[in-house]
Structure formats: structure tokens, C-alpha cells
Amino acid sequence: MTRRTEWPGGADETHSATGDAETRSGRRGRHGSEDSGGPSSSRAESGPPRTPEEQARAICLRLLTGNPRTRKQLEDALRKRDIPEEVADEVLSRFEDVGLIDDAAFADAWVDSRHHGRGLARRALARELRTKGVDSALIEEAVGRLDSEQEESTARALVDRKLRATRGLDREKRLRRLAGMLARKGYPEGLALRVVKQALEEEGEDPDLLEEHFLSEG
């Protein structure tokens, strides 16, 4: 499965894809009518209406082109296009059978991409996967591949990249800014404060003053 840092999704593409097809169909119909002078030719050129199953397959294939999707994302897209539930379920199950939908692989790739690309911690990654409709057991398995050492190493790399931008600020502002950055990416408070404290100590901050600040915050 292709892994990407940003994985766009949603039903908007569904409307765009089918809307383009309908527009092209309508143009062909109008052109046919003008050439022949009658509506029967227009209907013949546009062809018979597609069945709900054919529509569902076309929508799913269009959305899956170049971007992996979860079953829930595709299910939502089909619902917005008024595909009957039983038809959607049948088509989606068939896509799963042939490997076009694989929520476990999606979750693994998402964790790998978003952790290494954006530095997100396990908590933030789990939250994002829930919004994609991934099953809780699959989420737990995917984020569980990130161990505590890897998470802390990534947190330290994030802090190191931001340290220079905080130079010149007073100690409290630096602490808040760096720890807040890690918190927004899903890192636990204890880990965030420990990593920031270590980085500032290595840069020359007084360990006793830092410890004093942490105690007053607690």
C-alpha cells in the first residue's frame, strides 16, 4: 500500500466525480438533440441508467484511485450519494475480499506516515484513526507498534528543532511553548516536561531552577 504524509479523503470527491460524469452526459444529450432534432436520440446517446451497484463500484474506485480509504469513509460517501445500504454493504464487502479496502493496512500506514512526517504521538494518532472509522482493535494494534522509546526520541527531535526559535524568551515562556507544542501533538504531560527539561539543561539552564518551576506547576 502506498504511504503518504497527507491522505485526503471525504465525500466531496464523490460529488465531483459523479457530477462531472453527469455534466458530460448532459452535454452529450444536448448535442445529440441539436443534431437530430429529437429527444429520443439524446436518450440513446446517454445510454441506459446505471444500477445502484454499478454506481457504488464507480464511486469507490474513483475515491480509491491514488489514495487509500477506510471502509467507513467509503460507506459515508455512498450514503451521501443515496446508494441503498444493502447495495453499499455488498460492494464494500467485495472490495474487502479482493484487498481494495484494508483498514488494518490503512492504520499501519497512517501511523508510520503521521508519526515520522508530523511527529504525532500515539494518543493523537489514535484520535485521528477513530475519526476515519477504524476499528478500536486495529487502532490499538497499529499505534502499539510505536514503543515508548521511539515516541520519546521523536519528542526530543521536535524540541531540538524548536529550541532556537525560543531563545531570547524567559524560562517560563520557553517551557510553556515547548511543552505546549508536544501536548498538541499528543504527547503525555510527564513525557513532554521531562524532554523539555532535559533539552534546556543541556543548553545551559539551571537544573535547580527548572525543577523548582516544575514543582510549582504541579
Side-chain angles (χ1 to χ4, degrees), residues 78-131:
L78 295 179
R79 185 182 301 111
K80 288 183 179 181
R81 293 298 296 172
D82 296 323
I83 301 296
E85 184 177 345
E86 63 276 9
V87 173
D89 186 64
E90 181 181 349
V91 169
L92 293 173
S93 294
R94 195 175 306 154
F95 273 46
E96 281 184 324
D97 290 342
V98 298
L100 290 174
I101 301 174
D102 188 339
D103 282 3
F106 179 99
D108 289 343
W110 186 271
V111 167
D112 184 66
S113 172
R114 299 287 282 177
H115 179 73
H116 292 100
R118 297 287 300 277
L120 298 186
R122 287 175 290 188
R123 185 167 57 188
L125 293 165
R127 183 169 58 245
E128 288 188 340
L129 287 170
R130 281 195 294 271
T131 68

Side-chain angles (χ1 to χ4, degrees), residues 128-158:
E128 288 188 340
L129 287 170
R130 281 195 294 271
T131 68
K132 304 293 181 185
V134 178
D135 181 76
S136 297
L138 295 179
I139 292 175
E140 185 177 350
E141 183 178 352
V143 300
R145 292 191 171 91
L146 277 179
D147 60 30
S148 299
E149 289 185 4
Q150 175 64 56
E151 197 170 50
E152 183 164 344
S153 174
T154 301
R156 178 57 196 264
L158 290 169

Side-chain angles (χ1 to χ4, degrees), residues 6-93:
E6 296 294 332
W7 300 31
D12 291 342
E13 291 182 44
T14 300
H15 289 280
S16 174
T18 53
D20 289 346
E22 290 167 357
T23 300
R24 290 194 297 271
S25 176
R27 285 174 182 165
R28 287 197 300 271
R30 287 194 296 273
H31 182 69
S33 177
E34 289 168 2
D35 286 347
S36 64
S40 59
S41 175
S42 174
R43 286 196 300 271
E45 283 198 17
S46 64
R50 291 190 296 179
T51 67
E53 184 178 357
E54 289 172 334
Q55 292 179 49
R57 284 201 303 268
I59 291 168
C60 290
L61 288 172
R62 180 62 180 263
L63 289 174
L64 286 167
T65 300
N67 296 298
R69 314 274 177 165
T70 66
R71 179 174 176 132
K72 181 65 164 54
Q73 287 177 305
L74 294 173
E75 186 179 283
D76 290 343
L78 295 179
R79 185 182 301 111
K80 288 183 179 181
R81 293 298 296 172
D82 296 323
I83 301 296
E85 184 177 345
E86 63 276 9
V87 173
D89 186 64
E90 181 181 349
V91 169
L92 293 173
S93 294

Side-chain angles (χ1 to χ4, degrees), residues 197 200-202 204-214:
K197 179 175 179 289
L200 292 178
E201 284 179 6
E202 291 175 3
E205 287 281 359
D206 188 326
D208 292 333
L209 292 177
L210 289 172
E211 188 65 32
E212 190 176 299
H213 176 80
F214 289 147

